[in-house]
Each structure stands twice: as structure tokens, then as C-alpha cells.
Amino acid sequence: MKPKNKRKKDKRRDEVIGKTLTDLVPAPLRHERRALVERALAGETAELLTTGFRGDGAPFDLEVRVIPFRHRGEPHVLGIARDITERKKAETAVRASEEQYRAIFNASADALVLRDADFRIVDVNATYERMSGWTRDEVLGLDRVVANPAEVAPTIRALHARALAGEPIALEVPLVRRDGTRYELELRGVPIQHRGQPHVLYMGRDVTERKRAEEALRASEEQYRAIFNASADALVLWDNQYRRVDVNPAYQRMYGWAREEVIGKGYEDPRFPAEYARTRLELVQRALGGEDCQEELEAIRSDGTRIRTEVHAIP
């Protein structure tokens, strides 16, 4: 038996020549197609995005362009149709990708600024808007530094060129809000490709509180060092591995050991008897456990002489 003829997917030329829109186009689409043809007959070039149908009835995305022209002395319309199904799929995928990018971009706790190769702002996120006081619409397209002092602009422009060349960059700069408030900003820039073109993504983090904490710590360290060095008592700082971390000048004068001779060491020196080391390390151990303790002990100076000391260990 011969196989039954399958309906062809696409119409042949002889199946459409001489046919009207009524013959070829489903009823819901006839009005838009007829209006398009009438515009062309009136002398207008026009376009339409619509739905096409193959010979087997399968729909597809169709772009139709109509051009008026004369054929054998009579007005005609040339219709140019393009299957844009794949293009539409690609556009949908790009939109989904853009939506995902936007969600991640705006969710960042850091202020994000995307600049193109010419230093123009292509995008900023919600954190940037909150941190700087400038809205996205106000800064898009600007090719200057907006939220930093003018004096740092040349530095940032020079770093932008380095980032475009592939080098990640980092610096700390002041951020100036729209209302004049200043923050300390840690700014990093990384080269990226955006829509096929080289860009630099800048990430700004408010480090004002961290900087204040560092300043307070430095002040505390300086105060500690001043008190430590000014003490008339010999001071030794021990860690939990029973090693000396620091000693003051009074310690060096009292015991005769230079600071570099004892830092990082315990009582490994054979000149210290086992009992000598044990009693002192027990005091350190008790202090590490939270106890404030005190003993009178005989000490050995670096030249071998012995002295009586009162040792007070505090955590």
C-alpha cells in the first residue's frame, strides 16, 4: 500500500497565487492585514508585528513590511515577511537575563555604579541612590565623578583606564552625599563585559564606622603604649601559648634582657631551672584562667645575679 500523503508544512506558490486575504488569513487577523495593505496602496511604507501560520496551521512570530509600487502600470503592494520566532525567543531570554541582573544589582548592600569605556554612567543600584542622595535618572549618562570630591576625580579617571585594561583597582575615598554629608568609602572597580562592550563595575562600601573604630583602636594602642612604657614596674605581656608578646623598658632595665631577646619566648633557656620556670608559668596559667594572682619570687638577671621580685599576674 502507498503511504497516505502527509499535509505539507508550507504552502506552495500555486496554492496561494490568486487567493485573497479571506482565503489565506484567519478571520481574527484579516482586519489588521487589510488595513496594512490599504496603507501601502495609499502610498505609505508600513510595518506590522503579527502572527503567521504555516501550511499545517502551526503559528509563528511574523514581521511584515509593505511597500507601495506599480506593477504593469497598476498599483500593487509588495509584502516582505520575515519569520522572527528565534529573534523573539532571544529577546525574551535577554529580558529574563536583564530582570535577573537587575534583581541581583539592586539587592547588593554595596553601592554599585556601572560605567562604560568613556566613563559614562550606564547604571546605578538602589544602594547608590540611598548612599549618595542622587537618583538613577539624574546620573545616567554623566561622564564625571558625582558622589566624590572633585580633587579625587583625576585619580579615579586614571584608575578607570587601568581597570578597562583588565586590572582590578581599589582605593579609599570620601563620599559626599547630595546634602554635603561625608562618608568614608572603600571603592573597588573590576573590568566586565556588558552587552558585549568593555565596562567597569564600581563597588562602594561605607567604611565610616570601621575607620572610626580603627582610629579609636590606634588611640587606645597609643595610650596603652605610653602607659606601658612609662611604668616604673617591669611589665610583661604573655599569650595563651606561654610566650612573651611584649615587655617594657623597665623590664629590660630590671632583668638585663633586651626586648628582642625575649619576645616570642618562654623559659626554654637552660639557664632557667625547671622549678624557676614552673612557678612563673603557673602564675600565667592562673591569670589566663581569669584569676588575679600575686607571688614573691626570686628572679635571675641576664648576668646571673639574683633579685627578689613581687610578681603580680592579671588577665
Side-chain angles (χ1 to χ4, degrees), residues 222-243:
E222 289 168 4
Q223 187 180 40
Y224 152 77
R225 175 59 54 191
I227 295 170
F228 193 74
N229 286 339
S231 174
D233 292 328
L235 300 181
V236 186
L237 183 64
W238 294 83
D239 66 12
N240 61 3
Q241 300 298 313
Y242 306 106
R243 292 172 305 203

Side-chain angles (χ1 to χ4, degrees), residues 188-260:
R188 291 178 293 130
V190 292
I192 67 168
Q193 289 287 315
H194 177 65
R195 295 180 178 174
Q197 298 298 320
H199 288 66
V200 178
L201 177 63
Y202 290 93
M203 295 159 279
R205 178 168 297 178
D206 183 355
V207 293
T208 308
E209 292 305 317
R210 191 195 77 190
K211 296 285 282 186
R212 286 175 182 165
E214 289 173 353
E215 289 294 334
L217 181 60
R218 275 195 293 272
S220 174
E221 290 279 356
E222 289 168 4
Q223 187 180 40
Y224 152 77
R225 175 59 54 191
I227 295 170
F228 193 74
N229 286 339
S231 174
D233 292 328
L235 300 181
V236 186
L237 183 64
W238 294 83
D239 66 12
N240 61 3
Q241 300 298 313
Y242 306 106
R243 292 172 305 203
R244 295 178 182 88
V245 175
D246 206 357
V247 297
N248 70 343
Y251 172 93
Q252 297 175 71
R253 290 192 298 271
M254 184 182 294
Y255 290 98
W257 301 97
R259 185 173 184 274
E260 57 271 17

